[in-house]
């Protein structure tokens, strides 16, 4: 009983918090739905039946697509509690092997988040379809393109939502000040938009507590206004719920009614956010919020507007603000503006998350992902995307003088994204849930046919604003696909030209070179073998560090990888070689909070691996490439090595260099490094620690202690990062299209994105770049 009461309390708290994130966009739709619906020739039909027919269309669209599809069905298609297009794609890749990620390992399937208990033991009912999809690469590529197109549409939503929501809220001023020039409204909207995007880097943790009460108050207010209008103007409006009025609507309006569907579909804009942001809440809390507050409030508001318009059709262009009682006008206008800002903020944050997920699976150029410890889990900021969204948002706000054209673009974008989600969900029903192919097709045909009807109506308005998001979506998708194509070709070149381990082993423990104190981290995309970057380095400079670690950071198609399962450690060659392999596994939504701790976590993981290997049946001396072991860092960190924080003297006294560690470096090199770290603002912020062995630790094998001691001494001497600096070229006999993609498109993206060292937060004093020519 106590546990159940706590569960109910948690659901209620999450339901309350969800208002500020999930429902802002959906709750401000009444600002522009009726206005956009009657923007064309439909304004010539001024009968009560037409108004009721439009209301009936809005009611059933909201009920079928928002309530039934998203709230009742789609919230069940979560990936370990996460939602969105990438969650659906991740589920399909894990259960139907659609993935195009090149460095998949069997060990990845042992992650605790890889298998969902609800889906693991269900067998699909159509193995023929599944086998066909798994065997044909074109089917996998087509699925990836579909997912990328859906994400590009949602990126377009990221700048269309702030434009239409804030502008619609501000235009209410013209209802009370009809002499106000259009340019003044536009300037106010642009100022709010600029302020919204400029403040993105500060996060929302300080003001987020106000989001939920504002949206709740806004929802209750529009519901109260709806009830007021129903009672005052037309209590018979409840009859419009009957689908009969949809029939009479199309019977009377015919082609003009068909075109008006592009405005009706705006009533479900924002429904996709309930599924996309599922990870921050629970399905139960979202359903509670929607059933109890959002859905009834929206229905009452739409009924109230319809009742008002049935007696005041001349005010259709400003129906929402015109229906507000005079004494409540200015408070409602302020709340509408605040709700529009909250809705915009949620969509912008979701856009950052979508771009980060694309980047994680190798389908977006390198960007800087910022996450601060004060921010909420999953909240990130991407500077490049922020400014691109701002420019596009201002462009459509100023460029579309008629807000109905902006509504056309917004509605077409959102409905297209929902159509993509529908077909992905149909695949989930069959391949993941194990339901019959017939049931999956019924789902796709029922909801897909509704969405197709709205899309066809929207395409009629494509010349009036609808072309903008489609063109931008195609451009974004081309950028993503070119980057994915180039990155995959580069990986395959690395895979084909990797050095066999037997060749390395013939060189002996010294590798035929001089081994100097320190640790060298060789970054590579390969999970096995030695990259050509390493051998090229040894060819040009026949020396390397006493401890060599091949580091592969890769993405596993799960939302999050638990910290204790993140590091996969193995040994390369005999123990005397002091060569290790570390595979760092991240989920597509993982955000590294403390990038400076990577070195320390890596050292502790290797130390744990050395001890675990000695305690168990470790790899045999002289093996080519040792078995990998998951180092459960959260359980054993600190038992083998002691870690202590070093004071930064540079902070206490700017005239003195930082503390110099005891190492094998010359005094001149140590002084130069410490002076650089004192002058560099990035280096002074990095966490500096010292490792040492536990004094009271007993070791069964004395060689373990020697190896750990050598590891600690190497860390004291310093850590160097070895990265490949690639020069990409197409083969001489490559087709013209491939040469254009590689030489022009892909190289342009590489030159204008973040460098790998910046993304990994590597200080310049520790960076070694090795030039490599790639012929793709």
């Amino acid at each position: 009983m106590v546990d159940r009461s706590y569960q109910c309390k948690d659901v209620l708290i999450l339901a309350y918090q969800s208002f500020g994130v999930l429902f802002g966009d959906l709750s401000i739709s009444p600002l522009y739905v009726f206005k956009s619906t009657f923007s064309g020739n439909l304004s010539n039909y001024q009968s009560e039946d037409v108004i009721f027919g439009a209301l009936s269309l809005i009611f059933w669209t909201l009920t079928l697509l928002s309530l039934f599809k998203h709230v009742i069905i789609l919230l069940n298609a979560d990936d370990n509690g996460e939602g969105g297009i990438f969650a659906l794609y991740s589920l399909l890749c894990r259960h139907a092997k659609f993935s195009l990620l090149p460095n998949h390992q069997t060990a990845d399937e042992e992650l605790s988040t890889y298998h969902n208990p609800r889906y693991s033991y269900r067998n699909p009912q159509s193995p023929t379809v599944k086998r066909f999809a798994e065997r044909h690469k074109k089917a996998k590529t087509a699925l990836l393109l579909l997912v990328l197109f859906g994400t590009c549409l949602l990126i377009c939503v990221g700048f269309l939502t702030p434009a239409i929501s804030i502008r619609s809220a501000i235009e209410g001023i013209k209802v009370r000040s009809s002499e106000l020039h259009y340019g003044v409204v536009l300037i106010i909207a642009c100022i709010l938009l600029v302020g919204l995007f400029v403040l993105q880097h500060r996060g929302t943790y300080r003001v987020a507590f106000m989001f939920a009460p504002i949206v709740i108050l806004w929802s209750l207010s529009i519901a109260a206004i709806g009830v007021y209008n129903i009672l005052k103007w037309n209590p018979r409006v409840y009859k419009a719920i009957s689908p009969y009025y949809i029939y009479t609507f199309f019977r009377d309006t015919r082609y003009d009614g068909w075109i008006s569907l592009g405005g009706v579909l705006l009533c479900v804009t924002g429904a996709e956010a309930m599924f996309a942001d599922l990870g921050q809440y629970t399905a139960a809390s979202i359903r509670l919020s929607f059933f109890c507050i959002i859905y009834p409030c929206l229905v009452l508001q739409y009924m109230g507007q319809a009742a008002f318009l049935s007696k005041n059709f001349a005010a259709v262009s400003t129906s929402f603000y015109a229906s507000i009682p005079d004494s409540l006008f200015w408070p409602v206008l302020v709340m509408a503006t605040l709700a529009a800002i909250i809705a915009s903020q949620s969509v912008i944050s979701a856009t950052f998350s979508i771009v980060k997920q694309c980047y994680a699976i190798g389908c977006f150029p390198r960007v800087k992902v910022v996450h601060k410890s004060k921010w909420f889990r999953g909240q990130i900021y991407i500077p490049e995307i922020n400014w691109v969204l701002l420019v596009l948002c201002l462009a459509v706000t100023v460029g579309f003088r008629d807000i109905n054209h902006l509504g056309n673009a917004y509605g077409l974008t959102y409905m297209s994204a929902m159509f993509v989600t529908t077909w992905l969900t149909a695949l989930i029903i069959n391949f993941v849930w194990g339901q019959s192919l017939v049931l999956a097709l019924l789902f796709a045909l029922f909801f897909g046919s509704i969405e197709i009807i709205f899309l066809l109506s929207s395409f009629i308005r494509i010349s009036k604003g609808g072309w903008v998001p489609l063109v931008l979506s195609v451009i974004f998708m081309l950028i993503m696909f070119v980057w994915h194509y180039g990155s995959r070709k580069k990986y395959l070149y690395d895979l084909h030209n990797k050095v066999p381990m037997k060749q390395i082993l013939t060189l002996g423990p010294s590798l035929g070179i001089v081994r100097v104190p320190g640790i060298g981290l060789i970054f590579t995309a390969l999970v096995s073998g030695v990259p050509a970057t390493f051998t090229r380095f040894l060819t040009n400079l026949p020396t390397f560090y006493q401890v060599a670690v091949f580091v592969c950071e890769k993405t596993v198609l799960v939302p999050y990888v638990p910290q204790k399962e993140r590091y996969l450690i193995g040994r390369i060659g005999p123990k005397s070689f002091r060569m290790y392999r570390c595979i760092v596994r991240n989920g597509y939504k993982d955000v590294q909070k403390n990038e400076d701790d990577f070195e320390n976590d890596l050292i502790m993981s290797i130390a744990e691996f050395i001890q675990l290997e000695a305690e168990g049946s470790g790899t045999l001396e002289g093996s080519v490439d040792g078995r990998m072991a998951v180092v459960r860092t959260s359980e054993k960190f600190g038992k083998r090595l002691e870690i202590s924080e070093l004071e930064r003297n540079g902070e206490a006294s700017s005239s003195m260099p930082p503390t110099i560690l005891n190492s094998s470096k010359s005094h001149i090199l140590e002084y130069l490094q410490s002076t650089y770290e004192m002058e560099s603002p990035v280096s002074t912020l990095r966490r500096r620690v010292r490792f040492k062995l536990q004094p009271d630790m007993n070791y069964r094998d004395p060689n373990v202690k020697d190896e750990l001691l050598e590891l600690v001494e190497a860390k004291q001497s310093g850590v160097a990062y070895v990265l490949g600096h690639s020069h990409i070229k197409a083969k001489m006999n490559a087709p013209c299209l491939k040469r254009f993609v590689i030489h022009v498109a892909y190289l342009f993206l590489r030159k204008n994105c973040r460098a790998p060292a910046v993304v990994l937060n590597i200080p310049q004093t520790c960076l070694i770049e090795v030039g490599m020519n790639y012929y793709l």
Side-chain angles (χ1 to χ4, degrees):
M1 180 65 71
V2 176
D3 292 340
R4 186 171 182 179
S5 63
Y6 276 116
Q7 290 177 359
C8 293
K9 182 179 179 181
D10 291 341
V11 170
L12 289 173
I13 293 174
L14 289 174
Y16 169 76
Q17 295 173 346
S18 67
F19 285 102
V21 176
L22 302 182
F23 302 111
D25 192 8
L26 193 62
S27 66
I28 61 172
S29 298
L31 291 175
Y32 41 75
V33 170
F34 274 104
K35 177 181 180 179
S36 182
T37 302
F38 287 91
S39 60
N41 293 332
L42 196 67
S43 59
N44 298 324
Y45 300 87
Q46 301 184 11
S47 66
E48 182 178 279
D49 285 348
V50 172
I51 299 294
F52 282 13
L55 173 61
S56 186
L57 281 169
I58 293 170
F59 172 79
W60 285 108
T61 302
L62 182 67
T63 301
L64 292 176
L65 296 185
S66 293
L67 180 62
F68 284 99
K69 178 189 169 184
H70 284 85
V71 177
I72 295 179
I73 299 176
L74 204 55
L75 289 183
N76 295 314
D78 65 288
D79 181 13
N80 290 282
E82 297 292 333
I85 286 182
F86 267 98
L88 300 177
Y89 180 65
S90 175
L91 285 172
L92 289 172
C93 289
R94 299 207 307 267
H95 290 80
K97 303 187 186 303
F98 278 136
S99 176
L100 289 174
L101 290 181
N103 49 13
H104 177 75
Q105 293 174 284
T106 305
D108 298 338
E109 300 180 11
E110 299 175 0
L111 289 169
S112 59
T113 53
Y114 196 88
H115 294 288
N116 192 316
R118 293 184 297 166
Y119 312 143
S120 298
Y121 303 103
R122 297 184 182 181
N123 296 317
Q125 301 296 321
S126 56
T128 304
V129 178
K130 181 180 177 183
R131 285 198 301 268
F132 173 83
E134 291 177 346
R135 292 177 180 177
H136 291 77
K137 185 180 177 181
K138 290 184 178 179
K140 299 178 182 180
T141 305
L143 178 64
L144 178 63
L145 288 174
L146 180 66
V147 171
L148 292 182
F149 183 65
T151 57
C152 292
L153 290 168
L154 293 178
I155 291 174
C156 290
V157 170
F159 66 83
L160 289 172
T161 298
I164 190 172
S165 58
I166 291 180
R167 184 170 161 182
S168 297
I170 296 300
E171 282 194 348
I173 300 176
K174 296 181 67 175
V175 175
R176 287 294 183 269
S177 304
S178 56
E179 302 84 7
L180 192 66
H181 192 269
Y182 167 79
V184 177
V185 175
L186 208 58
I187 291 173
I188 296 174
C190 289
I191 291 174
L192 289 176
L193 289 171
V194 171
L196 177 66
F197 282 97
V198 167
L199 295 176
Q200 284 298 312
H201 73 283
R202 302 185 65 88
T204 58
Y205 67 98
R206 291 183 177 176
V207 294
F209 71 93
M210 297 189 298
F211 290 176
I214 289 175
V215 174
I216 292 175
L217 183 60
W218 163 253
S219 301
L220 295 177
S221 298
I222 61 175
I225 293 171
V227 172
Y228 167 81
N229 286 317
I230 292 171
L231 297 177
K232 180 178 180 180
W233 297 108
N234 196 341
R236 296 175 51 254
V237 75
Y238 72 90
K239 294 183 178 180
I241 294 177
S242 171
Y244 171 76
Y245 283 95
I246 297 178
Y247 164 74
T248 60
F249 175 82
F250 287 113
R251 183 195 63 191
D252 297 339
T253 60
R254 299 183 182 276
Y255 181 73
D256 294 331
W258 171 265
I259 296 177
S260 71
L261 292 179
V264 172
L265 65 85
L266 292 176
C267 69
V268 293
T269 53
E272 199 75 16
M274 290 186 288
F275 179 59
D277 296 325
L278 174 61
Q280 302 181 41
Y281 307 98
T282 62
S285 61
I286 296 173
R287 288 181 176 124
L288 179 64
S289 303
F290 188 81
F291 281 131
C292 296
I293 301 292
I294 298 299
Y295 181 73
C297 288
L298 287 174
V299 171
L300 288 173
Q301 167 56 213
Y302 287 125
M303 292 175 68
Q305 277 197 63
F308 173 79
L309 288 176
S310 65
K311 306 298 181 183
N312 303 273
F313 191 84
V316 68
S317 60
T318 57
S319 60
F320 176 79
Y321 285 108
S323 64
I324 301 173
D326 293 341
S327 59
L328 298 178
F329 178 82
W330 292 109
V332 172
L333 177 65
V334 172
M335 280 193 295
T337 305
L338 292 176
I341 293 174
I342 292 171
S344 303
Q345 171 61 45
S346 301
V347 172
I348 294 169
S349 298
T351 306
F352 292 155
S353 179
I354 289 170
V355 172
K356 193 269 173 190
Q357 293 170 44
C358 292
Y359 163 68
I361 67 169
C363 292
F364 203 87
R366 290 183 295 269
V367 291
K368 183 179 181 181
V369 180
V370 179
H371 175 82
K372 298 180 181 179
S373 57
K374 298 177 182 179
W375 295 1
F376 303 110
R377 178 192 176 190
Q379 184 182 4
I380 59 175
Y381 168 69
I382 303 178
E384 301 94 323
I385 302 302
N386 185 65
W387 304 126
V388 170
L389 291 178
L390 172 60
V391 172
L392 293 175
C393 189
L394 292 177
V396 297
T397 301
V398 176
F400 287 129
R401 295 186 63 86
D402 187 354
I403 196 172
N404 292 316
H405 291 180
L406 189 56
N408 296 338
Y410 187 42
L412 177 60
T413 307
Y414 227 112
M415 190 55 66
S416 300
M418 293 179 71
F419 185 68
V420 172
T421 304
T422 296
W423 285 98
L424 290 176
T425 307
L427 295 176
I428 291 291
I429 292 173
N430 183 230
F431 292 153
V432 181
W433 293 355
Q435 301 298 326
S436 67
L437 181 61
V438 174
L439 183 62
L441 289 176
L442 285 175
F443 173 86
L445 291 176
F446 179 74
F447 290 106
S449 61
I450 297 174
E451 292 160 355
I452 279 288
I453 292 172
F454 283 109
L455 282 175
L456 292 176
S457 173
S458 299
F459 278 121
I460 297 175
R461 298 185 178 189
I462 200 168
S463 61
K464 299 180 179 180
W467 61 272
V468 173
L470 292 182
V471 171
L472 291 174
S473 295
V474 171
I475 293 174
F476 290 148
M477 191 173 71
L478 287 176
I479 291 174
M480 291 182 182
F481 191 73
V482 166
W483 184 264
H484 172 76
Y485 176 81
S487 301
R488 184 174 176 82
K489 288 293 183 182
K490 182 174 176 290
Y491 172 83
L492 294 176
Y493 183 90
D494 280 332
L495 189 64
H496 181 72
N497 292 276
K498 69 179 180 179
V499 181
M501 280 305 306
K502 291 183 179 180
Q503 181 178 337
I504 297 294
L505 293 175
T506 57
L507 301 176
S510 66
L511 301 178
I513 58 173
V514 178
R515 304 292 289 266
V516 298
I519 298 177
L521 304 181
I522 305 99
F523 280 78
T524 174
L526 302 177
V527 294
S528 63
V530 175
T533 306
F534 181 64
T535 55
R536 184 172 181 83
F537 178 89
L538 298 184
T539 302
N540 291 275
L541 185 63
T543 181
F544 204 72
Y545 297 93
Q546 67 188 90
V547 176
V549 184
F550 294 91
V551 181
C552 172
E553 281 202 80
K554 71 172 190 176
T555 299
V556 183
L557 283 173
V558 295
Y560 299 101
V561 175
Q563 180 65 27
K564 65 180 182 180
E565 302 177 38
R566 190 175 303 278
Y567 293 93
L568 196 60
I569 308 293
R571 187 186 295 278
I572 297 179
K575 294 182 179 180
S576 57
F577 276 53
R578 299 295 189 258
M579 294 173 65
Y580 309 92
R581 185 184 306 282
C582 175
I583 299 175
V584 186
R585 302 178 293 184
N586 298 306
Y588 58 83
K589 296 198 73 172
D590 268 323
V591 178
Q592 300 302 318
K593 296 181 180 179
N594 299 311
E595 294 175 348
D596 297 340
D597 290 339
F598 172 74
E599 286 180 16
N600 305 323
D601 290 350
L602 183 60
I603 299 303
M604 297 296 284
S605 298
I606 295 174
E608 288 301 317
F609 170 77
I610 293 171
Q611 185 68 22
L612 290 172
E613 184 186 39
E615 291 177 353
S617 54
T619 56
L620 299 176
E621 186 74 20
S623 61
V624 174
D625 200 347
R627 289 177 291 177
M628 309 293 288
V630 177
V631 178
R632 300 185 179 275
T633 55
S634 63
E635 298 174 5
K636 296 194 175 185
F637 261 20
K639 290 186 178 181
R640 312 300 177 192
L641 301 180
E642 284 185 355
I643 183 170
S644 57
E645 196 94 21
L646 289 177
E647 296 181 0
R648 294 187 177 94
N649 293 340
E651 292 181 358
S653 175
S654 58
S655 61
M656 297 293 292
T659 302
I660 299 176
L661 299 176
N662 295 327
S663 69
S664 303
K665 295 180 181 179
S666 67
H667 294 293
I668 296 177
L669 289 176
E670 289 177 345
Y671 178 79
L672 290 174
Q673 180 183 0
S674 61
T675 304
Y676 174 84
E677 290 177 350
M678 180 182 64
E679 295 175 353
S680 174
V682 177
S683 298
T684 55
L685 294 175
R686 293 178 66 87
R687 184 186 177 199
R688 304 181 66 205
V689 299
R690 183 194 297 273
F691 291 94
K692 66 178 181 179
L693 294 180
Q694 289 275 11
D696 56 346
M697 199 72 185
N698 294 324
Y699 300 93
R700 297 179 183 176
D701 186 352
N703 293 327
V704 172
K705 183 177 181 180
D706 294 339
E707 190 172 0
L708 290 174
L709 186 60
E710 187 173 347
L711 180 67
V712 171
E713 291 176 351
K715 176 65 172 69
Q716 297 287 90
S717 299
V719 178
Y721 294 76
V722 181
L723 274 70
H725 185 79
S726 53
H727 301 274
I728 309 297
K729 298 179 180 179
K731 294 179 181 179
M732 295 298 296
N733 59 348
C736 293
L737 179 60
K738 181 178 180 180
R739 293 173 66 86
F740 174 80
V741 170
I742 297 297
H743 288 166
V744 179
Y746 184 60
L747 288 183
F748 174 80
L749 294 176
R750 282 175 57 85
K751 290 179 181 179
N752 291 277
C753 69
R754 298 276 183 172
V758 176
V759 175
L760 295 171
N761 196 29
I762 300 174
Q764 292 297 316
T765 53
C766 304
L767 177 62
I768 301 174
E769 290 188 301
V770 181
M772 284 284 295
N773 288 324
Y774 285 78
Y775 295 94
L776 307 181

